[in-house]
Amino acid sequence: MLAATVGNRRLVTAADAAAQAMGIAPGLALTDARALHPALAVAPADPVGDAAALVRLAAACGRYSPWTAPHGADGVWLDITGCAHLRGGEESLAAELVERLAGQGIAGRAAIADAPGAAWAVARCGNAQIAVVPPGGARAALAALPVMALRLDPVVAMELERLGLRRIGDLYDLPRSALAPRVGTVAMQRLDQALGAAPEPLSPLPPQPPRWVRRRFAEPIATPEALAAAMGGLLEPLCRRLAGERLGARRLVLRLYRVDGTSAAAAIGTARPSRDRRHLLRLLAERLVEIDPGLGIEDMVLAATAVEDLAAAQVKLPLSPRRERVIPEARGNVLPFLESQKTARQVARGMLAAEGRERDGTDPAELAALIDRLANRLGSAALCRLMPQESHLPERAARPAPALAPMARAGWDPERLRPVRLLPRPEPIEAVAPVPDDPPLFFRWRRRQHRVRRADGPERICGEWWRSAQAAAELRDYYHVEDEAGRRFWLFRAGLYRPYAPPRWFLHGLFA
Amino acid sequence: MAGNGGSEGLAALRRQLEALERAGRLASAVLPFGLAAIDTALPQGGLALGALHELAGAGPDAEDGAIAAAFLAGILARLAPPRPVLWCLAAGDLYGPGLAACGLAPERLILARAQSERGVLWAMEEGLRSAALGAVIGEVEALPSAASRRLQLAAEASGGTAFALRRWRNGERAARQRAAPNAAVTRWRVAALPGALIGGAPGIGRPRWHIELWRCRGGVPASWMVEACDATGHVTLAAELADRPEAPAFRPAFAG
């Protein structure tokens, strides 16, 4: 239930079905409503938020029609001329729309008619939740509806009622000249609009500016240099558009249409939103070499499918002379063509560059660009950092995290000695240990015998009982052993020593 | 006087030779080890930055790669401290806490898992070209001399340091491939040594390594026995083992 302050009274502005069943309707004073039912959940009304939500709903209805507009406090108009066949007809379009709204928890009614006024009337005051008025049947459909369905002023509606005109059908045959001075021209205009005699244009929501660029070629192109140049030419206006809207692209899709009617697509993604032309060009060039141009490409579309806010960055003056990139021998011959469009300067500045690296800190944009290049080639799961995680189990103490994720605050305990290499799975070994809790004397791993000279331990690590009962039963006694050659291993015995069962030993890691 | 003139002439000759060997390239910055014994063996008194270095384990460590990784972590801990390092590998078994114990903080390490060695070499080159990293490490089995030349050129041009950590799947492959020539500026071999006892107490003492610099451009090959790097990444020279008897940690109650 929503309540708002009108004048100096608090009125109920909206009530749900349960409240309405008890007799609480919008317009009732809040105190009266509370008297009817003391325990009411009342929330303050938020008309501004509601209006914004309605605009979003109208924008979401853009999947059905490009011409949508919010109306009033709780209505959306859609002009579905020419769109109905895409959804299998008008009836199924309306049914799908209502179902989708119901899925989001919004109770809705839909009506389709020739004119907006008729649709409004049938939706609000009609009987069915979904109604389709056949073309030309507006007159018949509206005849039985009350006069309020014509979106009239309450004063005018009351006047009409006083005159005994309760249904819209009553108005059809009355002479205009007699009615107009009584009820005003607006009512007549509304009637004409509902019947379709007068125009009522809808002003739709402003459409999203398209973030794609298209280029057609007079002659189909197939050489890598031409493709690369065309792609560079597409990226320029797109980056400028993104800069104008203060956005950065997270995902770019390049679609190439061949002369024989087929098409190929290449997509790149970035870890941080970017509109740096060089960086995006480099990422796209790698994908471009994998596409087969076939008989020739005649159409190219570059679209930014995912964008995020990106404020303009301050240009930094470099402290040390910038080192120049070495042009590699490229796969295909795409890259040299792109890089040689600028004047190629190759100067070896090893010492100055190394000194510059010592002095300056890391540029986060450069690091993000490197991560993008590596991730686009190796896969985004291939780049990670080892993040400390609070866990006793060694295999869970370091978990892979995305490369640019912020570091956890707590690090690893420096007192506990841990190996440099941890085997992905502990490997079973054969070990001989003299007494229950002493380290093994010798063990056999990967068909090689090791005699233990020195050992440290045991370090008991129990399973994490809060995760599962099976984990709680796990118990490991870890030993840090050194063999005769000086190699150091991390072994553990699984479980306590039992006199009737042979103990199971495993090798988990290798120390330095 | 003749001696003075002789030593000056010798110094001038030495400088000329260095310039010739470098073939006109500028002298690069160095990372000293902090140990006079090692630094004097290296040209310019430390590990050359802006170059490619090769590191491998000797003996059983050729397959494990544990000591080589720890030695490298110690070097990286001291190389341009706040800058991140990229570690490219094909098999993922690096353990963060172990590296952190050698001084390499977890926020500096970025791991890149490639499907093949070609991917590892490609990632190393990309990392060298970027100005954002302090060093690039790649775990490869074979380092062909053409690839090593490309890495060396990329490192020189951009000023980043590259380390090739070589690990083989078995000893036979190691024996075949380890001595192949390549363009690395220094080539190291590390092996495990029995640890030092602390006051005669049982248990594992401070680990020890045998480090061998067996190929060095402009320097003399040498080897040292050092104690493993501490939490700051520094290694220290070990005392001689000759006069210290081997002591077992415990005596079993029964023979055998």
Side-chain angles (χ1 to χ4, degrees), chain A residues 3 18-19 23 51 72 77 86 94 139 141 186 237 247 268 302 365 379 423 427 430-431 502:
Chain A
W77 261 326
L86 294 170
R139 210 178 160 92
V186 177
L247 293 171
I268 56 152
L302 180 67
L423 301 182
E427 290 188 12
E430 295 155 13

Side-chain angles (χ1 to χ4, degrees), chain A residues 282 286 323 325-326 328-329 348 350-351 353-354 356-358 360-363 366-367 370-371 373-374 377-378 382-386 388 394-395 397-398 403 407 412 418-422 434 439 441 445 448 453-456 480-482 484-488 510-512, chain B residues 26-27 29 49 60 63-67 69-70 83-84 86 93-100 106-107 109-114 122-123 126-133 139 150 156-160 165 167 192-195 197 203-204 207-209 246-250:
Chain A
R282 225 193 144 99
E286 293 200 357
R323 86 282 177 285
R325 292 197 164 100
V326 173
E329 297 117 42
M351 180 169 92
R357 278 165 183 262
E358 294 275 341
D360 307 339
T362 302
D363 185 8
E366 274 271 5
L367 188 63
L370 174 68
I371 303 280
R373 283 203 296 278
L374 293 174
R377 166 92 179 246
L378 303 172
L383 284 212
C384 63
R385 257 191 201 164
L386 296 173
E395 57 263 25
M407 189 51 48
W412 293 296
R418 288 291 178 260
V420 181
R421 299 255 182 211
L422 197 78
L441 279 181
W445 178 52
R448 226 178 270 161
R453 256 184 75 236
R454 296 206 193 102
D456 261 338
H480 178 182
V481 304
E482 182 185 298
E484 290 158 328
R487 292 171 79 186
R488 286 163 276 268
L510 300 157
F511 278 94
Chain B
L26 298 167
L49 301 179
E63 301 154 36
D64 302 336
I67 300 178
R83 282 178 166 258
L86 182 70
D93 57 355
L94 272 187
Y95 194 47
L99 295 176
E107 56 261 13
L109 181 67
I110 299 178
L111 285 181
R113 279 198 191 94
W122 176 85
E126 282 292 318
L128 280 174
R129 293 228 161 73
S130 160
L133 298 175
E139 290 193 14
R150 280 175 68 119
E156 273 170 24
S158 67
L165 204 161
R167 251 179 107 180
L193 280 182
L197 285 174
I204 296 186
R208 277 189 185 171
W209 299 333
E246 180 182 299
F250 53 86

Side-chain angles (χ1 to χ4, degrees), chain B residues 218-242:
Chain B
V220 180
S223 70
W224 307 270
M225 284 194 301
V226 296
E227 299 208 341
C229 55
D230 57 8
T232 60
H234 287 92
V235 296
T236 52
L237 273 183
E240 288 306 315
L241 290 177

Side-chain angles (χ1 to χ4, degrees), chain B residues 36 44 190 206-207:
Chain B
Q44 297 151 38
V190 290
R206 186 92 176 276

Side-chain angles (χ1 to χ4, degrees), chain A residues 423-503:
Chain A
L423 301 182
R425 276 178 186 285
E427 290 188 12
I429 59 175
E430 295 155 13
V432 171
V435 287
D437 283 330
D438 271 12
L441 279 181
F442 49 87
F443 65 95
R444 198 181 159 80
W445 178 52
R446 288 186 183 169
R447 295 197 293 267
R448 226 178 270 161
Q449 191 94 339
H450 301 268
R451 191 179 203 94
V452 172
R453 256 184 75 236
R454 296 206 193 102
D456 261 338
E459 182 187 344
R460 179 159 291 182
I461 294 184
C462 296
E464 298 180 323
W465 52 266
W466 56 91
R467 285 163 64 81
S468 69
Q470 183 205 10
E474 275 179 19
L475 193 141
R476 297 177 187 169
D477 278 344
Y478 276 92
Y479 295 91
H480 178 182
V481 304
E482 182 185 298
D483 75 352
E484 290 158 328
R487 292 171 79 186
R488 286 163 276 268
F489 306 91
W490 212 33
L491 316 173
F492 71 87
R493 186 192 61 239
L496 294 169
Y497 175 72
R498 293 199 156 70
Y500 45 85

